[in-house]
Structure formats: C-alpha cells, structure tokens
Amino acid sequence: MTAKRERLKLGILASGRGTNLQAILNAIDAGSLAADARLVITNKPGALAADRAIDAGVPHQLLNHRDYENRLAFDAALVRALRAVGAEWVVLAGFMRLLTPVFIDAFAGRTINIHPSLLPAFPGVNAQKQAVDYGVRLTGCTVHFVDKGTDTGPIIAQRAIEVRQADDPDSLAARLLPVENDLLVDVLRWIAAGRVGLHDRRVTISAESPE
Ligand code: GAR
C-alpha cells in the first residue's frame, strides 16, 4: 500500500497578466493538480493576476515592492507572508523581481520559475525579443529551480517551438505562452507526485509510479 501523498501547499508570485497563474488555478480546480494555492502575491498595483486570484477565491496580497526600503526588506515581507499561510513551495509565475538570498535561502530547493527561453540562452528580460534578434530557429521555455543567479538555477524541464521567419517578439511570445502554461502545470504535477529530486544542482525526474 502506498502512503497518501499530501497536497502541495503553494505560494504563487506574479507581477502581471497571470496566464501561468491561471493555468495552475484551473488545474487545481479541475482536480488534475494535487495542490492548494495558499496565497497569491502580486507586487504591482492593478496586475491582472490579482483579479484572477480573487475570481478563483484564492487568498491574495498585494505587496508593492515600492513600499519597502530595499530588496531585503521586500523579500523578508514575502517570506513572512508565505510562511504565515504555510506555503511550502513557491512558484514564480511571471514574477519580474530579482530575489535576494533572504528569499532564496528561505525556500531553497522549493522555488521554481518559468522562463520564456531555452536556458541558458536568453536569460533576463525580453527573452522572446532576444531570441528573434539573435535569429535562432528554435526557442522555447524552461522551468527551473531558483538559485542566486538570474535564471541560472537547475533546469527541471524545457519545451521547444520553432521560430518562424515572420515572427516578431509579440507573435513568438503569443505562440509560446500556451506551451509555457502547460509545462509549468506538468512540472507541478511531477513535484506533487514526489517525482522531482534535486541533489548537488542535478535534477532527477523519476518514472511515474503506478497508482
Ligand atoms: C511569461 O512569458 C513568463 O515566462 C515570463 O513572463 C511572462 C508572464 O506571463 N517570465 C519571465 O520573463 C521571467 N524572467 P503571465 O503573467 O501571463 O504568466
């Protein structure tokens, strides 16, 4: 007999439109992701992601980074809010702030990020524009553990798409977005099933175990 696995206790951080957040909330709602969204934190007033959380009946807090003296104080507030609701894993779902060790150490090995390129190519902002400007023929998205660098953490999964001759950054981003949404939810399902391991920066994904 296999022991019943606990649902993932998720904190989700988002800065903008929130389609990746929505994909997570939809999967939870549909019963296809064994997780509870304990808290959604947005850092910009008016972010659509906040409306998505509220519409889904998920607790939401706006922590505006501009209200804090510095990055360390902002990150300490994020950690306090997430701990207060018992979040154990954190998803950066379009969260456009660099995090300091105050945050990274608090959720080490339990924070994941979705990035719109095939890392290590095109880290940082405007990854889709970087891909178009460079002229790569393939790009994609990456879900990785967050470490102290910018988009340098251990890679969990990637998916590729073709860059078309006619693509501009917006058309490429639009075609990539649903691929990102699916990949992020898939990775969370693997984590919820206890299949993702991290040892010395090496990620292992174990085979699906029969129910
Ligand atoms: C997504 O494309 C995500 O990969 C990207 O921001 C977008 C957020 O979309 N994240 C980064 O570039 C992080 N460096 P969403 O708000 O609709 O989820």
Side-chain angles (χ1 to χ4, degrees):
M1 205 176 76
T2 47
K4 193 158 166 29
R5 193 165 274 289
E6 279 195 24
R7 295 167 70 79
L8 278 189
K9 300 177 181 78
L10 288 184
I12 303 157
L13 275 48
S15 296
R17 178 183 51 182
T19 67
N20 282 292
L21 165 67
Q22 190 70 59
I24 296 168
L25 298 179
N26 290 350
I28 293 173
D29 196 46
S32 67
L33 172 61
D36 294 321
R38 292 284 176 110
L39 180 63
V40 171
I41 299 177
T42 53
N43 67 308
K44 287 186 180 174
L48 191 52
D51 299 336
R52 294 180 189 271
I54 293 161
D55 288 351
V58 167
H60 163 256
Q61 285 181 31
L62 166 65
L63 297 184
N64 186 343
H65 57 275
R66 292 180 192 278
D67 294 341
Y68 295 84
E69 206 174 316
N70 52 39
R71 284 182 188 275
L72 301 180
F74 175 62
D75 284 7
L78 291 176
V79 172
R80 269 198 306 277
L82 290 163
R83 287 202 172 133
V85 297
E88 290 179 352
W89 282 80
V90 182
V91 184
L92 308 185
F95 187 67
M96 306 308 274
R97 295 288 300 169
L98 295 179
L99 292 166
T100 65
V102 167
F103 187 95
I104 313 272
D105 290 339
F107 290 96
R110 286 175 296 130
T111 307
I112 65 170
N113 179 47
I114 174 89
H115 182 78
S117 75
L118 294 176
L119 292 170
F122 314 133
V125 294
N126 300 324
Q128 302 93 334
K129 180 174 187 311
Q130 293 185 58
V132 169
D133 289 351
Y134 195 96
V136 290
R137 296 297 183 210
L138 282 176
T139 188
C141 51
T142 302
V143 175
H144 63 93
F145 283 106
V146 173
D147 70 1
K148 288 172 186 159
T150 302
D151 302 321
T152 53
I155 290 172
I156 305 170
Q158 298 185 299
R159 259 168 221 167
I161 65 168
E162 281 186 32
V163 182
R164 296 179 186 156
Q165 304 269 2
D167 266 330
D168 61 22
D170 288 342
S171 65
L172 181 62
R175 228 171 47 257
L176 185 55
L177 196 58
V179 182
E180 290 188 38
N181 298 162
D182 287 350
L183 183 66
L184 182 57
V185 171
D186 280 349
V187 167
L188 284 168
R189 289 192 183 110
W190 303 341
I191 292 171
R195 294 175 53 200
V196 178
L198 175 64
H199 309 280
D200 297 333
R201 293 187 60 85
R202 277 260 157 230
V203 176
T204 52
I205 317 277
S206 61
E208 208 167 347
S209 57
E211 286 298 309

